[in-house]
Amino acid sequence: MPSTDTLSSSATITSITLDRPPVYVLAVDPPLHLPSPSDPAGAPPYTPPPGQPARTGQSNPTFGVTLERDVPEDLPTYAEDCETEPKTLARGLWRWGFAFPLLWFIGMLILWIPLRPTDEEPGPESAQKLEEMIVIIRAAELRYARRCAIAFAAFSILLVVIIVAVVLANTL
């Protein structure tokens, strides 16, 4: 069903039907052509900031910037969660200690247990890699073992305070 709305006495919006989308009239006409690099109104060429060396490569005429052509074809592969800490026993005990605080005590004992490989590696290169892994894992183990010790100490102090408060409340 066509309808006519009057904005003012001189301008009217013609009929709008439900089966056709509305048409928007722009106040400014779009440019007929995109500016070219030879056009003086085009984008200026890229100049590096002071102190930064100019890039080598081929210039892109459309945008006026220099593109790197020295990018290696073989991109590095990324391991999943390569920046995260290793999943260690002490880490699991620290997390589960919030549900079962006695696990913090067990995690605290890791401070005194040395981490050693179970088998000797045959080659010097694989033995060196194993040694590097042990150093990384041991650092994470000690970090979470210290957290377990702090959490167990805080839990023990809190438990002692609650017991003392309950005993004092019952005696008064």
Side-chain angles (χ1 to χ4, degrees):
M1 175 179 280
S3 67
T4 305
D5 296 331
T6 304
L7 295 175
S8 66
S9 61
S10 63
T12 60
I13 298 177
T14 58
S15 65
I16 299 174
T17 60
L18 297 175
D19 53 323
R20 244 182 41 197
V23 176
Y24 299 102
V25 179
L26 299 175
V28 178
D29 292 332
L32 297 177
H33 70 284
L34 293 174
S36 66
S38 61
D39 190 11
Y46 173 77
T47 56
Q52 184 179 11
R55 294 182 178 174
T56 60
Q58 200 174 46
S59 178
N60 187 341
T62 306
F63 300 109
V65 296
T66 303
L67 299 177
E68 290 289 330
R69 298 289 183 200
D70 303 327
V71 177
E73 293 297 322
D74 298 331
L75 297 175
T77 57
Y78 297 100
E80 193 173 303
D81 296 328
C82 63
E83 294 296 323
T84 60
E85 293 181 330
K87 294 178 182 176
T88 61
L89 176 64
R91 180 179 176 186
L93 292 172
W94 181 72
R95 286 184 176 178
W96 282 101
F98 289 101
F100 309 105
L102 189 59
L103 293 177
W104 284 330
F105 178 75
I106 297 169
M108 179 180 65
L109 295 177
I110 292 176
L111 286 170
W112 297 284
I113 299 173
L115 182 64
R116 291 177 300 222
T118 55
D119 297 331
E120 288 294 322
E121 292 294 322
E125 186 176 306
S126 58
Q128 181 184 5
K129 286 183 183 180
L130 180 65
E131 188 65 33
E132 290 173 1
M133 282 181 19
I134 287 177
V135 168
I136 293 169
I137 291 173
R138 184 63 182 169
E141 283 273 330
L142 290 176
R143 185 177 314 115
Y144 280 100
R146 285 187 202 103
R147 290 179 185 178
C148 286
I150 293 168
F152 185 72
F155 176 73
S156 300
I157 291 170
L158 181 67
L159 193 63
V160 167
V161 168
I162 290 173
I163 290 173
V164 168
V166 169
V167 169
L168 289 177
N170 285 339
T171 57
L172 294 177

